Amino acid sequence: MISFSAEAQQSSAEEDTRLHWDESSNLLDDEKALPVNAAQPTPFNAFHKKDQNEFVIAPIPFLNPSQGWGLALMAQYIFTLKDDDSPPSIVGGGAFYTEKHSYGGGLAYSGKLANDEWRVGLALGKATVFYDFYGVGYDQNKQDISIPLKQEVDFAGLRLMKQVTNKLFLGIELIGAEITTNIESENIPGVLAEEIVAKTDFIAPNLKAERDTRNDSFYPTEGSLFDLQAEFHSEELHDNSTYQTYKISWNQYLQMAPFSVFAYRLMARFAYGEVPFYSLSMFGQGGDLRGYETGKYRDKMMWAAQTEYRYRFTDRWGGVAFAGAGQLAPKVSDFEGAAFLGSGGLGVRFRIAQKNPVDFRFDTAYGDQRISYYFSVGQSF
């Protein structure tokens, strides 16, 4: 599914500008559906069937520590070109509103062409996001002092990737954005106010390499997903400062028994130069450490590791247990001696599609000395 999640919108203005294509929320109709067994799960490979072209509209409630409750409305058309052996392409759009009064929406296209030799994408949208900024660095953020921010983002993006060998794609994203940040308070701690950039607009190239051997994009039970990105910002391209970000991640999926999967994710992100606060590495973003408010802990350098055990009780119901840890630091050499942040928890899954293993998920996570709740669609990674 083409995803415009409020969690991604809130996490940082730079993340808002990315092209978010997430096939984890494909709500399908009942025509030619697999029979649902209420007592015993259907084997995983029975779900791996070629989909029919279809139009889908889905209201999606969500819950996270940064925005509280929210509602997204998604509309998409899923299709495969005639005589083309590519995975499905998707065109669609969405809008969201949250308990913190954040809102936004966008349109996107994710195309897989010429028997999956080419992958192209387009995205554009805008959002107004309200969230709390705690500053930069672990020691400062741990003090729990924050200021409320209002961030307005207009973004557009273009992606082009070519398969160079089996399952390996190389390509580029061009990301353009205008970001305006306002402080929604008269009582501003000076050390925090210094970090705020009032307004910026930029075009940033993002070089990408990706290798995807997963056997399913909704509920993988075997294979892996490797992703490498290098993004460049420059004053020559109208940005307020010159900096670079590099991110590498590895997701691995191992089927342990007929209805259980062990999954783990390793990631690291490094930022160099005069990095604005919204482009720093941060916990609580995506699947990297549930239990943390997105953006509360942020700095230039970050790594995180997460494991998850997934089990299907029936075709409809499943459960997960997960744990993770990570560190933040201003420099790589500062990881030694830096504080470890950890989290863990349990979750419930409820399958909402007939022809694809797509779940609503509810997770309870303990991290940052408190319990957080998540309600969303699709697996965390």
Side-chain angles (χ1 to χ4, degrees), residues 6-7 10 60-72 96-102 129-132 293-294 370 372-376:
E7 181 72 10
Q10 187 275 337
I60 302 173
F62 58 88
L63 172 67
N64 60 62
S66 303
Q67 292 292 315
W69 282 100
L71 180 67
F96 72 89
Y97 187 82
T98 78
E99 188 177 342
K100 277 199 169 183
H101 307 296
S102 299
V129 187
F130 297 89
Y131 63 98
D132 295 323
E293 181 179 347
T294 301
R370 66 178 183 178
S372 301
Y373 302 98
Y374 299 82
F375 188 60
S376 187

Side-chain angles (χ1 to χ4, degrees), residues 1 25 27 56-60 72-75:
M1 178 176 163
S25 314
L27 310 185
V56 180
I57 299 177
I60 302 173
L73 178 63
M74 319 300 297

Side-chain angles (χ1 to χ4, degrees), residues 139-310:
D139 292 335
Q140 180 173 310
N141 300 356
K142 193 66 178 176
Q143 297 177 24
D144 234 9
I145 300 173
S146 65
I147 56 175
L149 297 184
K150 175 184 178 181
Q151 204 159 67
E152 297 174 281
V153 182
D154 293 274
F155 66 90
L158 169 67
R159 174 187 293 175
L160 179 64
M161 300 190 74
K162 173 71 167 64
Q163 185 172 184
V164 296
T165 186
N166 186 31
K167 304 295 186 179
L168 175 63
F169 293 83
L170 299 179
I172 188 172
E173 287 180 354
L174 290 176
I175 304 165
E178 181 178 279
I179 304 168
T180 303
T181 305
N182 293 307
I183 299 173
E184 297 289 288
S185 174
E186 295 181 356
N187 300 317
I188 308 170
V191 66
L192 296 184
E194 293 174 1
E195 306 287 349
I196 303 301
V197 178
K199 186 173 182 178
T200 185
D201 58 86
F202 60 81
I203 298 175
N206 182 16
L207 304 180
K208 294 176 61 67
E210 180 179 284
R211 189 169 190 269
D212 186 358
T213 64
R214 296 173 299 171
N215 61 347
D216 189 89
S217 58
F218 304 105
Y219 194 95
T221 63
E222 296 175 344
S224 62
L225 176 63
F226 169 80
D227 184 69
L228 178 65
Q229 303 180 30
E231 187 169 304
F232 302 93
H233 294 254
S234 171
E235 294 180 53
E236 296 178 356
L237 295 175
H238 305 290
D239 213 329
N240 285 4
S241 58
T242 297
Y243 64 97
Q244 310 85 42
T245 66
Y246 304 91
K247 183 177 179 180
I248 184 170
S249 64
W250 177 276
N251 298 356
Q252 183 74 51
Y253 307 91
L254 305 169
Q255 186 169 338
M256 308 296 292
F259 309 113
S260 63
V261 176
F262 177 76
Y264 66 85
R265 171 176 169 81
L266 307 173
M267 70 81 64
R269 187 177 186 273
F270 310 104
Y272 298 92
E274 300 176 12
V275 190
F277 77 96
Y278 51 77
S279 284
L280 291 168
S281 306
M282 62 189 74
F283 281 114
Q285 184 172 294
D288 296 312
L289 289 201
R290 281 158 285 182
Y292 289 83
E293 181 179 347
T294 301
K296 179 178 179 180
Y297 296 97
R298 65 177 82 200
D299 214 322
K300 285 188 172 182
M301 311 298 168
M302 167 187 169
W303 70 265
Q306 193 164 200
T307 63
E308 187 166 290
Y309 177 75
R310 303 168 181 173

Side-chain angles (χ1 to χ4, degrees), residues 1-5 9 16-21 55 73-77 90-96 104-110 120-127 153-159:
M1 178 176 163
I2 301 170
S3 169
F4 298 86
S5 69
Q9 295 286 358
D16 291 328
T17 68
R18 297 202 180 282
L19 311 183
H20 294 282
W21 294 292
F55 183 75
L73 178 63
M74 319 300 297
Q76 62 178 357
Y77 181 63
I90 306 172
V91 61
F96 72 89
L107 301 171
Y109 164 69
S110 175
V120 299
L122 298 167
L124 58 93
K126 64 186 308 174
V153 182
D154 293 274
F155 66 90
L158 169 67
R159 174 187 293 175

